[in-house]
Amino acid sequence: MSILNLDANIIYVFINLAILLVLMKIFLFGPVTKMLDERSKEIADTIDGANAKMEQAEQSRQEYEAQLLNAKKEAQDIVDAAKKRGQQEYEAQLAKARDDIARMQADAQKQAQADRDAMLEGARQEIAMLALLAASKVSQQKMNSQADRELVNAFLAEVEETA
């Protein structure tokens, strides 16, 4: 074996290396590559799942913010409605108080007029009695009849009309 100066051991080593390389490719590199590919796929799936969860979390956050905004708007609407009802109630109470005051003033005026009329009637009756008494003293006779009283009342009415 002198052509290439190769020894049988070297050829045997090369053949062993070639067989070892083929066996390693079949039994070692194939399963390791397959395992690495599966691991890469799992990592990619995990990343995709994480991205999906991030998107879902972002969507949930946006929904929460929208609900919070709606809740704030509803709360403001409730407050505004309560203020409006309060203002309406205040105005109704104020109108009722004004009506009550006006009614009481009208009642007081009617009562004052009735008291005045009663006082005037009482004064008129007293004046009539005094006039009858004075007339009876002057004429020295008693004037008690209803006709005499009507005569005095008519006289007082005339005096009142001219005054």
Side-chain angles (χ1 to χ4, degrees), residues 55-71:
E55 289 174 7
Q56 186 179 15
E58 179 64 24
Q59 185 179 5
S60 295
R61 185 188 62 81
Q62 289 174 353
E63 289 174 2
Y64 170 75
E65 286 178 355
Q67 288 174 350
L68 184 62
L69 186 63
N70 285 339

Side-chain angles (χ1 to χ4, degrees), residues 93-112:
Q93 291 292 331
L94 188 61
K96 183 181 177 205
R98 286 182 181 152
D99 291 344
D100 289 346
I101 290 171
R103 183 180 42 77
M104 283 191 269
Q105 285 176 339
D107 290 347
Q109 286 176 348
K110 286 179 186 175
Q111 185 63 37

Side-chain angles (χ1 to χ4, degrees), residues 66-77:
Q67 288 174 350
L68 184 62
L69 186 63
N70 285 339
K72 285 181 181 179
K73 185 180 180 303
E74 286 177 14
Q76 187 62 41
D77 290 345

Side-chain angles (χ1 to χ4, degrees), residues 38-136:
E38 288 175 0
R39 183 67 183 142
S40 293
K41 186 176 182 287
E42 285 178 19
I43 290 171
D45 289 345
T46 303
I47 290 173
D48 289 343
N51 287 337
K53 286 186 179 184
M54 288 283 285
E55 289 174 7
Q56 186 179 15
E58 179 64 24
Q59 185 179 5
S60 295
R61 185 188 62 81
Q62 289 174 353
E63 289 174 2
Y64 170 75
E65 286 178 355
Q67 288 174 350
L68 184 62
L69 186 63
N70 285 339
K72 285 181 181 179
K73 185 180 180 303
E74 286 177 14
Q76 187 62 41
D77 290 345
I78 290 169
V79 168
D80 291 343
K83 283 181 182 178
K84 185 177 180 181
R85 280 194 310 268
Q87 184 65 28
Q88 288 172 345
E89 183 65 27
Y90 168 77
E91 289 172 1
Q93 291 292 331
L94 188 61
K96 183 181 177 205
R98 286 182 181 152
D99 291 344
D100 289 346
I101 290 171
R103 183 180 42 77
M104 283 191 269
Q105 285 176 339
D107 290 347
Q109 286 176 348
K110 286 179 186 175
Q111 185 63 37
Q113 184 65 35
D115 290 346
R116 183 177 170 270
D117 291 345
M119 183 184 71
L120 286 176
E121 185 60 33
R124 190 176 288 140
Q125 291 295 326
E126 255 186 71
I127 292 172
M129 289 304 271
L130 287 174
L132 284 174
L133 196 62
S136 72

Side-chain angles (χ1 to χ4, degrees), residues 131-143 148:
L132 284 174
L133 196 62
S136 72
K137 288 277 185 189
V138 168
S139 68
Q140 292 296 329
Q141 67 183 45
K142 207 173 196 184
M143 295 178 76
D148 293 337

